[in-house]
Amino acid sequence: MDKMIINPLWSRLTEQIQNNSGVSYDEAKSTAKNILIKRNHIYNNGNLTHTGRLRSNMSSEERAIDRAIKRAGGNKNNYRYDPEKNYAYKR
């Protein structure tokens, strides 16, 4: 299995897809790349976009809260983070 060096955002999503779907590393990596391109987090060549760099530098808590804001609105002070579930809930 050829695991070329990929950026942390792409690597993290590849691992999540592989663990949750049971697909091969190469299939998970390709799926992750397509998702990140669609989200405008990486370019076709795999380099991070400005948005991707911001997202890659976020902590797990910050990413969970960001997802919750996109899902339900509000601002970051409206949410509490559950690290066991990696999920942010409205207060």
Side-chain angles (χ1 to χ4, degrees):
M1 160 169 41
D2 178 26
K3 291 191 177 185
M4 68 175 242
I5 298 173
I6 55 180
N7 65 61
L9 188 63
W10 188 5
S11 178
R12 185 171 49 243
L13 185 56
T14 297
E15 184 178 337
Q16 290 170 353
I17 291 169
Q18 190 174 19
N19 290 339
N20 293 333
S21 302
V23 298
S24 71
Y25 171 79
D26 289 334
E27 189 175 346
K29 184 174 132 189
S30 176
T31 300
K33 181 179 182 182
N34 290 333
I35 290 168
L36 293 171
I37 289 170
K38 186 176 180 180
R39 291 179 182 167
N40 194 32
H41 291 166
I42 65 172
Y43 296 110
N44 284 332
N45 65 6
N47 291 334
L48 290 167
T49 63
H50 175 71
T51 306
R53 280 191 300 279
L54 294 175
R55 189 91 182 159
S56 185
N57 290 331
M58 288 180 171
S59 67
S60 297
E61 179 177 1
E62 290 169 324
R63 285 190 306 274
I65 291 172
D66 186 57
R67 287 191 304 270
I69 291 169
K70 288 177 184 173
R71 184 175 56 249
N75 65 54
K76 65 182 180 178
N77 296 327
N78 295 35
Y79 293 90
R80 67 175 173 75
Y81 176 64
D82 180 349
E84 286 185 23
K85 295 184 179 178
N86 190 28
Y87 195 84
Y89 298 92
K90 243 182 178 169
R91 296 180 189 260

